[in-house]
Amino acid sequence: MADPTLPVRQRLSYATGHYLNDLCASMWFTYFLLYFHSVLGFDSFYAGLLLLVGQVADGICTPLVGYESDRQSGIRSYGRRKSWHLVGTLSVIVSFPFIFNPCLGCTENTPQWVGLIYFIPFIVIFQFGWAATQISHLALIPDLAKNEHDKVELTAFRYAFTVLANISVFAIAWLLLHIELSDTDDSAHLGRYDIPVFRTLALIVVGVGALFSLLFHIGTKENSSFQRLPESDDEHRDVNEFSSSPEPLLLWKHWLVEPSFYQVALLYMCTRLIVNLSQTYIAVYLTYSLHLPKKYIATIPLVMYVSGFVSSFLMKPINKYIGRNMTYFIGLLAIATFAAWVALDPELNVAVYGAAVILGSGSATILVTSLSMTADLIGPHSHSGAFVYGAMSFTDKVANGLAVVLIQSLNPCHTQQCCPACTPFYHWVMVTITGAVALVAALALSSIMIWPITVRS
């Protein structure tokens, strides 16, 4: 008899739970550097340093939240995952609007180190909340899914809402920029006069995201039964001996000796580097390398995520017929095609729309597939699933933060206005963060094809 599947209502309800995070992440990765450097006038290195602080804070909080989420039962019968999700949501709501708002009491002549001190606490609180929401939401996949197809569908529904969130952010950003351009005679390029645009966008993001989080908490029913993970090896052996479960309990330290844990971690890190860094630098690339008007920082990312949205619904049949590995490989081919196109054509002009479609489709494919591979790794060991997701996220957050600081430190221009050297610099940044990282991801995928994902202990 076939395993029952989750009702569509339950899948949709689950998918709404990460919408606030996705809205905020879209602003964070796409507009953070551009906002702090081109709008607020921060030095490019300081802007990268602030982003690094956020990524490191997220990277540290993620495995800690995962570990505690696996150990604690949460708020009474509310569910351990949903309890952490609620804490994270509230943290995001109270901190995010301050990040895309100028330093209170600061002026254009205020030293930049004052701004650093002002923004860091809000960034840390936001990243803690983001991590708590992300890990608790991901850890619900093995808990809710009744079979392998449910895991793929939950991941695909989750990513579909991620794409919808990005589409929403870019559509609203385009509308706000369009209204601003029609009401003022300001330049088509970014400056301090664009502060109200980003402030309004942040407030809309938090308001809409909070509503979707409420729908998640109302509609998603988590199994409130909780088995506390053992603290010592002796207690662990006792639990395994008397447990009715056919699978032994795996503690967080047992994952650290699993080869597949590191295979999937490397693949996931490369995937996130491609997706997040391309999202971080696409707006900068459009502005400083292609010299396009500022309305393109909304329209091109919008095209990327519309193509990603369409691709996300093809994941189930593609996975079914050719498997996870080949699906991921197809996504990598799309990323490599984008990198080659950008490398060979420094002035894309109208062709940038076609390149955006390819990048969006490839990014969606590798992201959905890598998350499904992570769920495959966890399998029946969902009791420690949050730690696994936390560890995976730790690698990608720290790697992304370090990569951004490295790129910003190599930037030949540190002033608010980009110098001519920016044009080739950000052009090759886009080629490197897609093409070079895709090559490393291909090596990680090859190892998984040779030694398939499995818990060997």
Side-chain angles (χ1 to χ4, degrees):
M1 182 177 179
D3 292 335
T5 59
L6 284 173
V8 175
R9 180 187 60 81
Q10 181 78 338
R11 297 177 212 166
L12 289 173
S13 173
Y14 167 80
T16 62
H18 207 252
Y19 197 67
L20 172 62
N21 261 22
D22 291 329
L23 290 169
C24 294
S26 180
M27 280 199 69
W28 174 267
F29 285 111
T30 308
Y31 296 134
F32 185 91
L33 287 181
L34 206 62
Y35 174 73
F36 275 87
H37 180 53
S38 299
V39 177
L40 295 187
F42 274 66
D43 180 277
S44 61
F45 177 76
Y46 285 161
L49 187 62
L50 281 174
L51 193 142
L52 174 63
V53 168
Q55 294 302 100
V56 171
D58 192 359
I60 293 174
C61 290
T62 299
L64 294 178
V65 169
Y67 175 70
E68 289 298 324
S69 175
D70 288 332
R71 291 178 63 250
Q72 305 297 330
S73 59
I75 305 173
R76 295 187 179 181
S77 61
Y78 194 63
R80 53 176 173 162
R81 310 303 189 194
K82 288 180 65 178
S83 297
W84 278 98
H85 188 284
L86 180 61
V87 172
T89 298
L90 294 176
S91 299
V92 169
I93 290 173
V94 300
S95 60
F96 189 73
F98 289 95
I99 297 175
F100 284 91
N101 205 34
C103 168
L104 297 178
C106 297
T107 65
E108 294 186 44
N109 298 323
T110 302
Q112 292 193 6
W113 62 265
V114 176
L116 290 177
I117 296 175
Y118 174 84
F119 284 110
I120 284 176
F122 294 114
I123 289 174
V124 171
I125 294 171
F126 163 66
Q127 293 292 358
F128 162 76
W130 203 96
T133 305
Q134 180 203 32
I135 294 307
S136 56
H137 194 255
L138 283 172
L140 274 172
I141 293 179
D143 290 342
L144 296 176
K146 301 179 184 299
N147 52 52
E148 292 303 313
H149 289 303
D150 277 349
K151 290 181 182 178
V152 176
E153 286 201 333
L154 282 177
T155 304
F157 268 76
R158 183 181 188 273
Y159 186 73
F161 270 80
T162 298
V163 175
L164 284 174
N166 282 278
I167 291 173
S168 301
V169 168
F170 300 135
I172 297 170
W174 176 86
L175 180 62
L176 293 174
L177 288 170
H178 180 74
I179 293 173
E180 181 203 35
L181 286 173
S182 63
D183 290 344
T184 68
D185 295 326
D186 288 324
S187 168
H189 300 289
L190 292 168
R192 289 191 65 87
Y193 40 77
D194 292 300
I195 288 175
V197 171
F198 291 94
R199 178 171 55 219
T200 303
L201 182 58
L203 293 174
I204 293 174
V205 159
V206 169
V208 174
L211 177 61
F212 275 81
S213 295
L214 179 62
L215 294 176
F216 163 78
H217 281 274
I218 293 174
T220 303
K221 307 301 179 185
E222 179 184 355
N223 184 359
S224 59
S225 61
F226 170 71
Q227 182 179 16
R228 184 181 64 84
L229 289 184
E231 299 290 340
S232 65
D233 287 338
D234 290 339
E235 188 179 356
H236 176 250
R237 286 191 291 270
D238 292 340
V239 171
N240 282 336
E241 181 178 355
F242 295 106
S243 173
S244 59
S245 172
E247 294 287 346
L249 286 176
L250 263 69
L251 302 180
W252 64 271
K253 57 187 175 183
H254 298 135
W255 287 109
L256 300 180
V257 296
E258 289 293 336
S260 288
F261 177 82
Y262 296 98
Q263 289 176 286
V264 176
L266 177 60
L267 190 75
Y268 185 81
M269 182 188 72
C270 292
T271 300
R272 283 295 186 178
L273 280 172
I274 293 171
V275 174
N276 292 346
L277 289 180
S278 63
Q279 186 177 355
T280 298
Y281 282 99
I282 187 66
V284 182
Y285 167 68
L286 295 170
T287 302
Y288 296 133
S289 291
L290 299 185
H291 304 292
L292 296 172
K294 62 186 177 185
K295 65 180 181 181
Y296 280 86
I297 69 174
T299 56
I300 296 302
L302 182 60
V303 170
M304 288 172 53
Y305 280 95
V306 168
S307 62
F309 178 75
V310 174
S311 300
S312 67
F313 286 103
L314 301 176
M315 291 302 100
K316 183 180 179 180
I318 292 177
N319 270 274
K320 181 179 179 181
Y321 288 110
I322 66 175
R324 300 258 204 275
N325 294 339
M326 291 307 299
T327 301
Y328 190 93
F329 181 69
I330 290 175
L332 280 184
L333 287 180
I335 299 296
T337 301
F338 169 84
W341 193 347
V342 172
L344 296 174
D345 189 0
E347 298 179 1
L348 286 176
N349 296 324
V350 179
V352 71
Y353 286 100
V357 170
I358 294 174
L359 179 59
S361 300
S363 297
T365 301
I366 62 175
L367 183 56
V368 170
T369 309
S370 66
L371 287 171
S372 297
M373 289 179 175
T374 307
D376 289 341
L377 173 67
I378 296 172
H381 310 290
S382 60
H383 47 270
S384 57
F387 171 78
V388 176
Y389 282 118
M392 300 295 165
S393 188
F394 173 80
T395 62
D396 98 73
K397 297 300 189 307
V398 174
N400 273 281
L402 292 175
V404 168
V405 166
L406 175 62
I407 293 171
Q408 293 302 105
S409 65
L410 295 175
N411 185 352
C413 308
H414 293 278
T415 59
Q416 184 175 8
Q417 298 300 322
C418 197
C419 64
C422 281
T423 299
F425 176 76
Y426 285 117
H427 169 260
W428 289 110
V429 164
M430 284 302 297
V431 173
T432 303
I433 62 181
T434 51
V437 180
L439 179 60
V440 179
L443 295 176
L445 178 64
S446 299
S447 76
I448 292 176
M449 296 177 73
I450 297 172
W451 298 286
I453 299 172
T454 182
V455 176
R456 295 175 172 83
S457 295

